[in-house]
Amino acid sequence: MNPVEAVLRTLHEGELALHDDLLAAAEEHAAEHEFHHVATDTARWSAEHARLIAATAADRGLHLPAAPDSPALTRLRRKAARDLAPRPDGLPDLLETLAALHLAAVRNSLHWEMLAQAAQAGRDGELLALASRCHPQTLRQMRWTNTLTKTLAPQLLTAS
Amino acid sequence: MRDRIDRIAEPWGDRTPYGPGQPWPVRQDTHLTGTGVDRWVPAASLLHSNGDAMDVAVRDGRIVGVRGRADDRVNRGRLGPKDLFGWQANHAADRLTTPLVRRGGRLEESDWDTAMGLVVDRTEQLLDAHGPGSIGFYTSGQLFLEEYYTLAVIARAGIGTNHLDGNTRLCTATAAEALKETFGCDGQPASYTDVDHCDTLALYGHNMAETQPVLWMRVLDRLAGPEPPRLLCVDPRPTPVAARAEVHLAPRTGTNVALLNALLHELVRTDRIDHAYVDAHTVGYEELAAGVATCTPEWAARICDVPAREIRRAAELLGGARKLLSTVLQGVYQSHQATAAAVQVNNIQLVRGMLGRPGCGVLQMNGQPTAENTRECGADGDLPGFRNWENAAHVAELAELWNVEPERIPHHGPPTPAMQIFRYAEQGSVKLLWISGTNPAVSLPELARIREILRAEGLFTVVQDLYPTETALLADVVLPAATWGEKTGTFTNADRTVHLCEQAVQPPGQARSDLAILLDYALRMDFRDRDGAPLIGWHDAPGAFAAWQRCSAGRPCDYTGLSYALLRERGGVQWPCDAEHPDGTERLYTDGISWAAPDTCETYGRDLVTGAAVSETEYRALNPDGRAVLKAAEHLPLHEDVSPEYPLQLTTGRTLYHFHTRTKTGRTPQLAAAAPEMWVEIGAGEAHRRGLGEGDLVEVATARGAVRARLRVTALRDGLLFLPFHYGYWDTPGRTGPGPDGGRAANETTPTDWDPVSKQPLYKTAAARLTRLAPADGTPAPAPTTGAAAPADPAAAPPTTGGPDAFADQRPARQEAASVPASPPAPPAPEATP
């Protein structure tokens, strides 16, 4: 596998994982209504990204499985993502979840950046179109998790 | 024109036809009881957003009737049925006349000192123990400007809480947000007088005939005159507007963005674009055109269940318009992707270059009479004067005005919208909720949840109202308030027209104006500015108005040129009204976009799908010159779609005869009798397939709850049910919630879901199941026959009439009666200097 294919594979896994994580978090925080609904809406973007990545990869003879993970592995990865976030004791669960989702989106965003740069350097129009199509939505996922954190943190951290 | 007619049976009265560019002829409507009037006191209507000017008749210290003000720009003498009759609710036998406090689980009569003492003690305890974030205020769309501004200063600089919002969140939040997203700032672009000039009128989710009957009279008079406008109606219900429309699109609920994107697609495809206007006054056209490139009528037809050829016809109508006026209301604001859809209506207007000229504009309507004032005064989720909470200079202006440190005004995050305030109350972090002039126990979605929140031990609720509403009955302290006709103040309608509404009579018992209650609270709390002077330096309505004028100076909603004396003399005047525009301003944006520059705008904007904030840096890059922003949005699938368990779509809405939760209209004999009880609407085709008929007793159930009512069979689209949202429990044995007969309030069934951009709850998109409990016994559904609830088979129910008590006078102006409609076109009415 060449390095660009490795980025495609990593990104494919990352988008599938973010999709699963967003849906799981939406479920877990169903009583946080705005979070619940927008997480569900934006999970759809990640699913679409994964599908488009897999299609592009298939054109290059690289087979990326549609749903590579067992639920157990998903949980494991979610835990790993959470461990990346600084997590002082007593941090409200919703804020912790938002931090984990934000970091997962940032990770995807960096891989989209790598892919777009590789595409430009290699004059690969197809890859560039893929990154141009998907990366903006990843950035929107990042802005959303950031906005919700900024909005909810004051109340959850000081008035509870 | 007949002298006297039954205004329940004929809500819109007789026609005074007129042609394009002519002034709307006068028709003066009057309803008086008994004989003799001691004096007439100027007021404006408080039971919808139209702001119809009227005089209140007083005899022996009591209100005995009303008449429309013939000289007023808004209604030219006309009144709707709610205004003709609704004043009688002031006299209801169950008005609250003394403060109540809860003792041992029961509300007991008390006095002002005791009740206010309890509120102040609890406030101070909570501030000490938990800080200002533990205190929230949920106000109304029915108080006066002076009251909202006082409340805003108390909440933001006195308490220092971010948790202040109005029930305008349920009615007008999307209007405000859509204007902010497009124009950088709130402020209604168009004027009602654009109805006089337009050749095409597009109404999106706006049953104007029932929500703003006087404005609909204006449209009916144009339709009856020479060169009438052509109407486009987007509404799933067979409304009176739909009946008069050249094109009526009745989409599945929740699909507005798909439909509007298809209309934009067609306008782009056929190049019905005013490129010069777009180039001069907007940013984002390329992105918008790219965003709708694949949104063909055929694509939208599949999502909306509307024929593609009808979408094309609608686009032709919009594309062929020379003077296009668009209006938007709850069918957009309370539906899926609310702001995204409302913004696309702005986009249509902009790409057609139809703004700021007679007949060309957009009216993002309000639902409630004083909704505009919550927005401008900062008693909803904004800072006063349309100031931007993210702009340090704007916050500093307020700090200077109030003479407090800027840090005292919370601006670390966006002001908290109502649904989130209730979420914080549910979590227990908001511990005192002061509810003024609104009834969340009936009007918020998912009522079982709301009742649980209001009943919770950990939440201290103060309710300030006129009647023992469902919400008041759940409160810890109830404060009896004075209402319209019993206090003085100003308010502003949906086209920026400010009216003075004066005290005509004394309030009953110990009831006090909302302003007096708030001022008393401020005094007892001893709020001080940074020099130790009282934070609230005013003591009455004129003082509050003067304070607000200073706050509004230099902002889009500038009131500095207004005064009570001017409003008394002239009737309604449109803001901005300042030294430069002493007669007010008829239309905004007559000379380009004026409030979207990064340093002046009210917001930097949000992502139309996620609600994520656009940063100041991004906004400066995107829109350095302060143009209108054309924002594209993709259609998203519904959050709750039909399923085998819940196979029907369910929407909720209004009838002409009631307002909000019927607190006043349910206590008005003529109005209560016109629509006495809950009903369910279904379309004839859907009813036939299910073997159901008029008058069947049915249950409508969703994942949240259920209501029972009789079925009305109308011309509603297939696959959809409709429930009126007005009915609650105060006049049932349950008092605050469902009794042995099951649910009655539509909001038992609605989901807790809101638009992530405007934070307006969604009342139009649920999935439901319909069950017949008993076949009809010959009694038709208790639904009116005059509006969208009219039976498909006219013989199925007797026509709605009001009888002798519902007769009101209507008189044309003498000089105009002879000249209309035969007169040659006159020059436009001298309304106001643009």
Side-chain angles (χ1 to χ4, degrees):
Chain A
M1 193 186 301
N2 69 39
V4 170
E5 286 175 352
V7 176
L8 276 175
R9 178 183 295 276
T10 308
L11 198 44
H12 183 251
E13 286 173 6
E15 290 286 7
L16 283 176
L18 184 54
H19 168 262
D20 292 350
D21 289 350
L22 282 165
L23 289 185
E27 196 64 31
E28 194 181 337
H29 298 283
E32 300 290 347
H33 299 92
E34 182 172 332
F35 173 81
H36 169 83
H37 288 295
V38 179
T40 311
D41 289 339
T42 53
R44 214 174 280 118
W45 290 344
S46 286
E48 175 73 359
H49 296 176
R51 195 184 62 74
L52 292 169
I53 294 164
T56 302
D59 291 346
R60 290 152 199 258
L62 176 67
H63 177 67
L64 297 175
D69 291 352
S70 67
L73 194 60
T74 305
R75 274 197 298 279
L76 202 66
R77 193 170 35 213
R78 194 172 310 128
K79 186 180 176 306
R82 275 184 195 176
D83 290 345
L84 278 173
R87 182 155 56 110
D89 278 347
L91 182 64
D93 197 35
L94 180 60
L95 293 179
E96 187 187 316
T97 300
L98 281 166
L101 292 172
H102 185 78
L103 290 172
V106 169
R107 187 166 180 271
N108 288 346
S109 172
L110 289 170
H111 287 124
W112 280 118
E113 200 71 76
M114 291 176 205
L115 196 71
Q117 291 301 89
Q120 295 198 70
R123 306 196 177 188
D124 188 330
E126 192 192 19
L127 274 192
L128 190 59
L130 175 69
S132 307
R133 157 80 178 73
C134 301
H135 193 192
Q137 289 177 327
T138 306
L139 294 170
R140 290 165 75 184
Q141 290 169 327
M142 287 162 49
R143 286 195 201 102
W144 169 63
T145 42
N146 189 70
T147 293
L148 267 198
T149 302
K150 180 170 179 172
T151 305
L152 297 172
Q155 187 77 4
L156 297 184
L157 295 176
T158 68
S160 295
Chain B
M1 182 180 296
R2 294 162 293 170
D3 285 346
R4 264 174 86 70
I5 58 169
D6 178 345
R7 289 296 301 281
I8 294 294
E10 300 182 74
W12 304 286
D14 283 334
R15 298 282 57 79
T16 53
Y18 71 123
Q22 292 182 331
W24 188 25
V26 166
R27 183 193 88 193
Q28 189 168 43
D29 296 345
T30 306
H31 178 238
L32 269 182
T33 54
T35 27
V37 174
D38 296 341
R39 58 204 166 89
W40 294 92
V41 181
S45 51
L46 202 72
L47 294 167
H48 49 79
S49 66
N50 212 55
D52 300 325
M54 64 175 88
D55 293 315
V56 176
V58 179
R59 184 176 64 239
D60 300 332
R62 205 174 148 85
I63 298 176
V64 291
V66 290
R67 71 177 179 203
R69 288 187 65 162
D71 59 352
D72 197 89
R73 63 172 302 280
V74 170
N75 53 322
R76 309 274 286 155
R78 290 160 191 78
L79 292 176
K82 280 186 291 213
D83 301 316
L84 287 169
F85 307 116
W87 52 270
Q88 298 165 95
N90 279 34
H91 306 148
D94 63 345
R95 277 291 297 272
L96 294 169
T97 56
T98 178
L100 309 175
V101 301
R102 189 169 295 279
R103 287 203 182 90
R106 294 168 50 87
L107 280 174
E108 292 178 358
E109 291 202 353
S110 181
D111 55 72
W112 279 105
D113 254 350
T114 309
M116 292 306 288
L118 280 173
V119 177
V120 167
D121 286 352
R122 184 60 71 108
T123 309
E124 283 172 347
Q125 282 165 18
L126 288 174
L127 283 175
D128 282 349
H130 302 281
S134 60
I135 293 167
F137 295 89
Y138 182 47
T139 188
S140 177
Q142 295 153 54
L143 307 191
F144 290 169
L145 176 152
E146 293 78 357
E147 296 166 333
Y148 292 135
Y149 183 61
T150 304
L151 176 58
V153 180
I154 287 174
R156 307 234 183 264
I159 301 286
T161 178
N162 229 351
H163 311 323
L164 162 62
D165 199 6
N167 69 6
T168 43
R169 187 61 50 192
L170 324 180
C171 85
T172 183
T174 300
E177 191 62 34
L179 294 172
K180 287 194 274 186
E181 292 298 328
T182 301
F183 301 105
C185 189
D186 197 351
Q188 186 72 280
S191 167
Y192 289 169
T193 50
D194 287 318
V195 171
D196 307 346
H197 301 277
C198 67
D199 69 5
T200 306
L201 175 58
L203 300 101
Y204 299 92
H206 182 198
N207 183 4
M208 187 196 281
E210 298 196 62
T211 52
Q212 292 168 295
V214 169
L215 192 57
W216 181 241
M217 294 173 204
R218 199 165 191 146
V219 173
L220 287 175
D221 286 346
R222 277 293 317 273
L223 291 172
E227 298 176 63
R230 302 158 76 189
L231 266 53
L232 164 64
C233 171
V234 177
D235 199 314
R237 292 175 80 209
T239 62
V241 176
R244 301 302 301 267
E246 187 158 317
V247 180
H248 173 210
L249 305 177
R252 296 184 80 231
T253 65
T255 64
N256 291 323
V257 168
L259 184 65
L260 285 155
N261 279 351
L263 294 175
L264 280 161
H265 170 94
E266 283 295 287
L267 293 175
V268 171
R269 184 184 68 78
T270 55
D271 199 28
R272 304 309 256 290
I273 305 294
D274 184 338
H275 292 285
Y277 189 91
V278 167
D279 290 347
H281 298 298
T282 71
V283 294
Y285 178 73
E286 296 308 320
E287 293 87 334
L288 178 67
V292 299
T294 58
C295 302
T296 62
E298 284 71 20
W299 166 83
R302 284 191 295 276
I303 294 167
C304 308
D305 189 28
V306 166
R309 66 171 183 282
E310 290 300 299
I311 299 174
R312 280 209 178 80
R313 280 186 66 211
E316 272 300 311
L317 199 60
L318 298 172
R322 290 164 167 235
K323 293 180 176 181
L324 171 65
L325 175 63
S326 295
T327 73
V328 190
L329 197 62
Q330 308 305 358
V332 172
Y333 301 159
Q334 295 184 338
S335 193
H336 183 54
Q337 295 195 272
T339 307
V343 160
Q344 301 319 308
V345 178
N346 294 342
N347 289 347
I348 288 175
Q349 216 66 36
L350 287 164
V351 301
R352 297 282 294 112
M354 300 277 179
L355 198 70
R357 290 180 282 131
C360 302
V362 60
L363 290 164
Q364 297 281 357
M365 289 293 187
N366 306 348
Q368 294 186 79
T370 74
E372 184 54 45
N373 306 107
T374 56
R375 278 149 61 175
E376 60 205 26
C377 293
D380 70 345
D382 289 300
L383 293 185
F386 299 152
R387 286 177 173 85
N388 184 347
W389 65 269
E390 292 187 278
N391 184 331
H394 285 195
V395 176
E397 283 171 17
L398 288 177
E400 172 87 28
L401 194 68
W402 298 339
N403 194 30
V404 297
E405 300 298 334
E407 302 76 57
R408 195 154 143 199
I409 305 167
H411 60 282
H412 48 266
T416 314
M419 296 299 288
Q420 191 65 44
I421 295 177
F422 275 84
R423 173 62 186 151
Y424 290 150
E426 183 176 37
Q427 289 171 322
S429 64
V430 163
K431 298 172 195 297
L432 187 158
L433 187 58
W434 187 330
I435 300 168
S436 47
T438 188
N439 192 12
V442 181
S443 57
L444 287 184
E446 200 176 352
L447 288 182
R449 169 175 176 263
I450 298 302
R451 284 189 292 265
E452 204 169 303
I453 294 171
L454 292 172
R455 282 193 182 121
E457 281 296 315
L459 182 69
F460 186 82
T461 49
V462 182
V463 172
Q464 181 170 322
D465 212 304
L466 314 180
Y467 309 104
T469 63
E470 292 83 346
T471 305
L473 292 171
L474 297 173
D476 294 291
V477 172
V478 179
L479 305 175
T483 184
W484 173 98
E486 300 165 355
K487 61 181 185 179
T488 291
T490 52
F491 58 90
T492 307
N493 77 349
D495 87 336
R496 294 175 280 104
T497 305
V498 186
H499 282 112
L500 176 65
C501 192
E502 299 204 64
Q503 181 172 3
V505 297
Q506 291 299 317
Q510 297 177 46
R512 304 169 73 179
S513 73
D514 298 279
L515 181 65
I517 297 170
L518 293 166
L519 289 172
D520 182 36
Y521 177 68
L523 199 64
R524 288 170 192 264
M525 288 296 299
D526 198 26
F527 296 126
R528 299 274 163 174
D529 68 13
R530 64 179 154 197
D531 296 327
L535 175 69
I536 310 280
W538 52 92
H539 311 286
D540 54 15
F545 186 79
W548 161 248
Q549 284 182 300
R550 288 192 292 279
C551 182
S552 75
R555 293 300 297 166
C557 48
D558 196 320
Y559 279 63
T560 51
L562 290 172
S563 66
Y564 282 12
L566 184 85
L567 294 169
R568 247 177 228 127
E569 179 196 317
R570 298 220 194 137
V573 177
Q574 289 171 287
W575 63 244
C577 179
D578 53 18
E580 226 177 295
H581 312 91
D583 298 319
T585 305
E586 189 171 18
R587 292 178 188 85
L588 303 184
Y589 310 133
T590 50
D591 189 24
I593 308 304
S594 26
W595 294 96
D599 290 330
T600 49
C601 67
E602 185 179 5
T603 179
Y604 304 124
R606 291 176 180 274
D607 185 311
L608 292 185
V609 168
T610 64
V614 174
S615 73
E616 180 185 349
T617 313
E618 288 169 303
Y619 188 78
R620 284 187 185 280
L622 164 83
N623 195 18
D625 303 322
R627 296 177 179 181
V629 183
L630 293 168
K631 280 197 167 182
E634 69 254 42
H635 161 75
L636 295 180
L638 282 160
H639 291 155
E640 178 169 294
D641 211 340
V642 294
S643 63
E645 194 183 354
Y646 299 110
L648 291 162
Q649 283 201 305
L650 172 64
T651 188
T652 68
R654 283 141 196 84
T655 173
L656 186 145
Y657 301 103
H658 285 303
F659 178 64
H660 218 245
T661 61
R662 282 165 69 249
T663 44
K664 282 188 170 177
T665 55
R667 290 173 170 89
T668 302
Q670 295 90 334
L671 301 173
E677 192 40 81
M678 184 66 177
W679 74 88
V680 181
E681 286 170 32
I682 193 171
E686 194 69 49
H688 180 74
R689 265 192 300 285
R690 293 170 181 272
L692 299 168
E694 174 76 29
D696 284 354
L697 183 65
V698 296
E699 182 183 79
V700 177
T702 68
R704 274 76 50 189
V707 297
R708 292 179 189 185
R710 287 193 188 276
L711 195 63
R712 162 58 49 88
V713 179
T714 75
L716 191 66
R717 61 160 286 127
D718 284 350
L720 180 64
L721 301 173
F722 171 89
L723 297 174
F725 92 113
H726 310 286
Y727 298 89
Y729 301 99
W730 58 267
D731 50 350
T732 70
R735 299 297 303 278
T736 58
D741 290 337
R744 187 198 200 201
N747 283 321
E748 303 294 345
T749 66
T750 45
T752 305
D753 185 6
W754 59 84
D755 180 53
V757 189
S758 69
K759 319 297 182 187
Q760 184 157 353
L762 310 185
Y763 293 98
K764 305 286 193 188
T765 49
R769 139 181 103 225
L770 181 67
T771 316
R772 183 161 77 170
L773 302 175
D777 57 8
T779 316
T785 62
T786 45
D793 171 9
T800 299
T801 58
D805 289 342
F807 273 73
D809 300 332
Q810 49 171 12
R811 287 211 180 83
R814 211 165 295 135
Q815 69 279 16
E816 289 186 6
S819 67
V820 172
S823 67
E831 277 292 336
T833 337

